[in-house]
């Protein structure tokens, strides 16, 4: 069987280069194309050389149309606006679209869902096995502890370059906790505490955000009860875990029916994740 021809968007960025190296390292995948913004200094360069794996023949361009037309899939860790645009182009080309972009609005997600009627889209706030397993455990713990008075707080820390907060992973974990409690995260989350806030509202799910240094990603979910507490934690030490997960997701998605899938589907973890 021929290798899956993959396109990397945001190819000159740190995550883009990690994706290129992951494609090179995984059997069954081939770097077919690389996309960057029109003002990028990387336009015209060989994406493999930029990522440190040598010449690949995939020259970085700012025009996705001809590249998507010949590809089998696209790996996309860019920005919400760009991901929405790429989802439409992937739908037109009928290719797999793996989205690791975070910070999407409800409107962005609706547009991506619409594109998934014509394309296979795998979208997740985190592509690693460990985080998605953690989400399952959080959901199970939230369900088991529901009604027992345990409060749920989610703490996340990332490098100082990250632009969205809470992180996509923190929200994924929050959605898992809300699913376990059978409540809406949007209606029960607390994102900011400052000043005289009063007592914590019973049943709310709190988020705390830290930014600094070069931290790849730390996430802890606290279940705090009367006289006891439980902590579930994941530490990402290298962003290559996200890149590897994205390539695996693309290979899994090849040949699937159009639709919006999650990493839980890819990893066979069973419980559907919210999109």
């Amino acid at each position: 069987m021929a290798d899956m021809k993959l396109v990397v968007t945001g190819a000159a960025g740190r995550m883009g280069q990690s994706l290129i190296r992951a494609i090179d390292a995984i059997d069954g995948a081939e770097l077919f194309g690389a996309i960057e913004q029109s003002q990028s200094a990387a336009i015209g360069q060989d994406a493999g050389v930029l990522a440190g794996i040598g010449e690949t023949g995939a020259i970085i361009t700012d025009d996705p149309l001809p590249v998507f037309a010949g590809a089998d899939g696209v790996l996309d860790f860019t920005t919400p606006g760009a991901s929405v645009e790429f989802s439409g182009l992937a739908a037109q080309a009928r290719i797999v679209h793996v989205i690791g972009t975070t910070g999407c609005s409800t409107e962005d997600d609706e547009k991506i869902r619409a594109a998934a009627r014509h394309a296979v889209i795998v979208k997740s706030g985190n592509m690693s096995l460990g985080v998605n397993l953690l989400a399952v455990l959080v959901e199970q713990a939230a369900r088991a502890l529901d009604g027992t008075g345990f409060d749920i707080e989610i703490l996340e820390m990332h490098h100082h370059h990250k632009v969205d907060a809470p992180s996509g992973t923190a929200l994924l974990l929050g959605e898992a906790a809300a699913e376990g409690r059978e409540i809406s995260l949007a209606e029960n989350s607390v994102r900011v505490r400052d000043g005289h806030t009063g007592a914590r509202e019973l049943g709310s799910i709190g988020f705390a955000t830290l930014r600094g240094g070069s931290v790849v990603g730390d996430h802890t979910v606290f279940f705090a009860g009367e006289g006891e507490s439980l902590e579930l934690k994941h530490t990402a030490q290298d962003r290559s875990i996200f890149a590897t997960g994205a390539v695996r997701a693309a290979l899994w998605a090849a040949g699937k029916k159009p639709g919006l899938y999650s990493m839980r589907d890819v990893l066979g973890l069973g419980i559907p994740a919210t999109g």
Side-chain angles (χ1 to χ4, degrees):
M1 183 180 294
D3 288 347
M4 188 176 189
K5 296 183 289 186
L6 296 175
V7 178
V8 173
T9 63
R14 290 175 299 168
M15 193 63 217
Q17 292 181 48
S18 290
L19 289 166
I20 291 166
R21 290 190 288 270
I23 291 170
D24 183 62
I26 295 175
D27 290 339
E30 170 193 346
L31 181 64
F32 178 75
I35 309 298
E36 257 299 344
Q37 301 177 69
S38 57
Q39 66 270 30
S40 172
I43 297 293
Q45 296 184 45
D46 187 293
V49 173
L50 192 64
I53 62 172
E55 290 189 8
T56 61
I59 305 302
I60 299 175
T61 176
D62 63 353
D63 185 4
L65 281 173
V67 184
F68 280 30
D72 299 314
V74 55
L75 308 181
D76 174 19
F77 287 67
T78 53
T79 63
S83 290
V84 168
E85 179 181 353
F86 291 139
S87 70
L89 296 176
Q92 290 176 31
R94 300 296 194 270
I95 61 176
V96 170
H97 187 190
V98 177
I99 304 175
T101 301
T102 59
C104 291
S105 66
T106 300
E107 183 181 357
D108 295 330
D109 283 334
E110 288 174 356
K111 291 177 180 177
I112 290 170
R113 247 183 230 103
R117 291 199 291 265
H118 306 286
V120 181
I121 297 179
V122 180
K123 183 177 184 293
S124 179
N126 193 294
M127 297 285 173
S128 81
L129 170 59
V131 161
N132 283 280
L133 180 57
L134 174 61
V136 172
L137 297 175
V138 167
E139 182 172 335
Q140 292 175 342
R143 181 174 293 112
L145 296 173
D146 191 23
T148 62
F150 274 75
D151 299 316
I152 301 177
E153 294 284 322
I154 300 170
L155 173 66
E156 58 104 342
M157 182 168 185
H158 283 82
H159 52 85
H160 54 222
H161 297 290
K162 189 165 180 61
V163 297
D164 59 306
S167 69
T169 301
L171 294 173
L172 181 152
L173 297 171
E175 289 285 3
E179 184 72 20
R181 284 185 166 178
E182 298 184 357
I183 59 175
S184 164
L185 179 63
E187 296 174 4
N188 292 277
S189 68
V190 176
R191 307 290 181 86
V192 177
R193 293 189 179 103
D194 186 31
H196 188 75
T197 62
R200 188 185 194 282
E201 186 174 345
L202 183 65
S204 61
I205 298 174
F207 291 84
T209 298
L210 304 177
R211 294 287 178 265
S214 58
V215 177
V216 174
D218 289 345
H219 294 85
T220 304
V221 181
F222 297 90
F223 293 86
E226 294 295 331
E228 61 179 333
S229 63
L230 170 69
E231 298 178 20
L232 298 175
K233 181 175 182 178
H234 179 270
T235 299
Q237 298 167 336
D238 191 318
R239 61 178 41 86
S240 65
I241 62 174
F242 312 130
T244 298
V247 177
R248 298 292 186 197
L251 293 172
W252 173 88
K256 295 290 189 297
K257 293 180 179 180
L260 182 60
Y261 299 89
S262 74
M263 282 301 289
R264 291 199 190 186
D265 298 312
V266 175
L267 297 170
L269 295 176
I271 306 168
T274 53

